[in-house]
Structure formats: structure tokens, C-alpha cells
Amino acid sequence: MTVSITSSTSSSLIKKTLWLAPLSAAMLMLAGCNNSSAPVETTETDAATDEPLNIKIATESSYKPFSYTDANGKLIGYEIELVDALCEQMKAKCEVISQDWDGLIPGLNAQKFDAAIAGMSITPERKEVVEFSDPYFHTGIILIGKKGDDVSVDALKGQPIASQRSTVASQYLQQKHADADIKLYDTQDNAYLDLTSGRVRAMMSDKVTGIDWLKTEAGKDYEVKGQEISTSDDAMGIAFRKGDPLVAKFNKALAELKDNGTYDQITGSYFGTSSTAAAQKAVATSDVKEVVVVDKGNVDANAVIAKEEQAEAATN
């Protein structure tokens, strides 16, 4: 059957085609713009292609033994090993970078990286701007001063006391000892330097990092003053942007590491002879609200460690 097209019909079709062509092009351009601006569903894409997640994680590299650099500038420490294990458990490709402490939360929310792990305590103030993973560590704070000096937590008024800025230790000083001459530092190392140079009389710090420093040559003439102080903000977590699905992934991986023994192995290699592990067990299995491991009075680091070993042995 032959179909004939008149010249008027042909002309009409040509006009319609010419009119539709730019409209189709415009629709294609609009669709392209919409696709480029739409949020990328990373987890679904990765799941569909079996490609691992690519995650950038920031840390603060002067917080020994949690995260610090070795002689070659390589990031090492408890949190670095824990992150490596978490990423392996998730089959994710992770890059860990060093970031100034004050820039961790701003950088996270500016999407410069995807997560931050740096001995960061889970506080109500921080929870307003970021979301935390389940806790991976618990600790307290201590006052460190020179051996033989009678400085104490009960008598800090007017005394120059050092602490790292924006930490639970510094917040405790500002809230409980506002009448002290509080000196805040960008890093823990700079606070130690002013302590050993005599520019401050004592230092308030995280227990684990403080006792680790007391075992160094620089800290040999210093000791813990009084008791360990336990606060409601002594749980550490990994920080993420609010609503990030990575939180659930990291929580799942952390629970799996605890179940398969990897978490205990890593934590034990750093803190197995300290009461930190015993404290975590106690808090996890009872209604214990506070664990104090240092007797009243001034004690040196070796005495603290010996007492902690006894406490750990008693729980096993």
C-alpha cells in the first residue's frame, strides 16, 4: 500500500519537527542539570557496583597515645589502628588526615572530610552540631604538677593552670575553677611545654594522655595530684555530620569488632594494663557511674600504673 503525502502535509510536519527540536534539546539540558545537582546516594551506588566506600577521616595528631606521628611523620596510635580495623570491617577505603583540633568540627561540617576521630568526648554542646557514633572509649581527667609541689584540685584559685582548648578538661576548669588563672593551648604538647618551663604551675588533662606523658623523659619530675576526676562527658565517639548514614555503618562495624575480639585486642595492646579497660567493663556491666583509680594524695606515674594493674587483675 502506498501512502502519499501532500506538500501541505509535508510542510506541516516539517514545521512541527522544527518546533519540537529546540523543546527536546531544552528538556535534555534541564534533565542533565537536575542530575548534576541531585545528591549522590553513595551507599546505594557502592552497593550496586560492589565498589568500596571512600571515606576521609580527620584526626588531631598530637594526642598521644590516641593519635600522633612517628619520627617519619606517619600517623600512628590507638585511634589510627581502630580506624584501620573499622574500615577493613566495612570493606571501605579510608584516608586519615591530620587537622588542627579547633578545625575538626568546622571542617567536618564544611565537608572537607567525612568523619573525625581525635579523643573527642561526646558532650551536649557538640551533639548540637554533629552526630556521634557509639562510644569507643571512656576516660577521666587528672591534674598534673611537679613532684613535691602541694598544688591540688581544691586550691587552684589564682594559680596558672594549663589545659588544651575545647576539651573536657578545659571545660571542667572553666566551670568548676573559674577563679584559677586558666591558660588554654591549641595542642596538648604546647601545654606540656609551658608546664615544664614553669610558666604554669599545673596542668589539667585527659587521664590516659596525661599518664602517658608522665612516663616520658619530659614528665619524669611530675606526678598526678589527687584523684582522677570522672565527669558525665567522659565517653569518646567518632563525629559525623548530622544525618549521615555513615554513623550506622560505623556503629555496626564497631559492634562487630567488639563481638569478634578485634576491639579488645587493639584496646588491650594500648591500655590492657590500665584501669581504663576495667572501668569500661564495669560501666558496661553495671550501674557504676564513676570509677576513681587514684588514691587521695600525690602519687607518681609508676604508682598509678601499678594500682591500675592490680585493678585490672581483680576484674579478670
Side-chain angles (χ1 to χ4, degrees):
M1 178 180 179
T2 303
V3 179
S4 62
I5 301 176
T6 64
S7 60
S8 61
T9 302
S10 175
S11 176
S12 176
L13 286 172
I14 290 171
K15 287 179 180 179
K16 287 181 179 179
T17 302
L18 292 174
W19 179 80
L20 287 170
L23 178 61
S24 300
M27 290 176 70
L28 286 171
M29 289 176 65
L30 182 60
C33 291
N34 285 340
N35 286 337
S36 63
S37 62
V40 178
E41 296 292 341
T42 306
T43 54
E44 291 185 8
T45 302
D46 291 336
T49 60
D50 290 328
E51 293 181 1
L53 288 168
N54 289 288
I55 306 170
K56 183 178 285 188
I57 303 171
T59 189
E60 195 259 337
S61 57
S62 62
Y63 207 57
K64 190 177 180 181
F66 290 97
S67 57
Y68 59 105
T69 54
D70 64 12
N72 298 317
K74 180 183 177 182
L75 281 169
I76 58 174
Y78 169 68
E79 290 174 331
I80 306 305
E81 287 196 32
L82 181 61
V83 161
D84 287 344
L86 287 167
C87 292
E88 183 178 350
Q89 188 68 24
M90 293 185 292
K91 295 181 170 53
K93 290 183 178 179
C94 294
E95 176 189 6
V96 183
I97 62 171
S98 179
Q99 172 76 41
D100 290 341
W101 171 256
D102 289 343
L104 284 172
I105 289 179
L108 177 61
N109 283 328
Q111 300 187 31
K112 292 182 179 179
F113 35 85
D114 305 301
I117 181 169
M120 190 179 294
S121 296
I122 303 171
T123 66
E125 296 80 9
R126 289 173 184 155
K127 287 172 70 175
E128 290 180 3
V129 292
V130 296
E131 188 169 345
F132 282 98
S133 69
D134 294 334
Y136 63 86
F137 201 82
H138 292 78
T139 187
I141 54 179
I142 54 174
L143 184 70
I144 294 174
K146 197 158 189 176
K147 291 179 179 178
D149 189 354
D150 63 355
V151 64
S152 71
V153 176
D154 298 326
L156 297 182
K157 183 177 181 179
Q159 299 299 321
I161 308 297
S163 191
Q164 185 177 4
R165 183 185 297 112
S166 300
T167 61
V168 170
S170 68
Q171 290 171 358
Y172 174 84
L173 277 175
Q174 292 168 325
Q175 292 170 4
K176 303 293 186 181
H177 300 281
D179 55 359
D181 182 12
I182 302 170
K183 309 289 188 183
L184 301 180
Y185 299 81
D186 56 344
T187 69
Q188 197 91 348
D189 287 342
N190 286 337
Y192 291 141
L193 287 174
D194 267 14
L195 178 61
T196 55
S197 67
R199 285 189 283 269
V200 295
R201 188 174 178 186
M203 176 180 177
M204 186 75 75
S205 78
D206 171 88
K207 172 200 166 184
V208 174
T209 57
I211 288 182
D212 190 83
W213 179 77
L214 289 174
K215 293 183 286 186
T216 67
E217 181 65 21
K220 67 180 183 179
D221 294 327
Y222 295 82
E223 63 189 359
V224 177
K225 301 293 185 177
Q227 291 181 310
E228 174 187 343
I229 302 162
S230 181
T231 73
S232 59
D233 299 324
D234 62 0
M236 298 177 182
I238 306 171
F240 301 87
R241 287 183 289 277
K242 280 187 170 291
D244 194 325
L246 282 176
V247 179
K249 288 183 174 290
F250 272 79
N251 282 343
K252 181 175 182 290
L254 180 59
E256 290 169 347
L257 292 185
K258 289 181 177 180
D259 286 342
N260 65 26
T262 304
Y263 172 83
D264 287 340
Q265 182 180 355
I266 295 171
T267 303
S269 68
Y270 283 87
F271 312 110
T273 58
S274 78
S275 65
T276 303
Q280 290 181 47
K281 292 176 186 176
V283 172
T285 59
S286 69
D287 293 328
V288 173
K289 301 300 182 184
E290 177 174 292
V291 178
V292 177
V293 297
V294 183
D295 288 338
K296 290 184 178 180
N298 300 335
V299 293
D300 62 20
N302 290 330
V304 173
I305 294 166
K307 194 173 189 68
E308 291 175 339
E309 289 176 343
Q310 293 172 6
E312 173 69 7
T315 63
N316 294 331

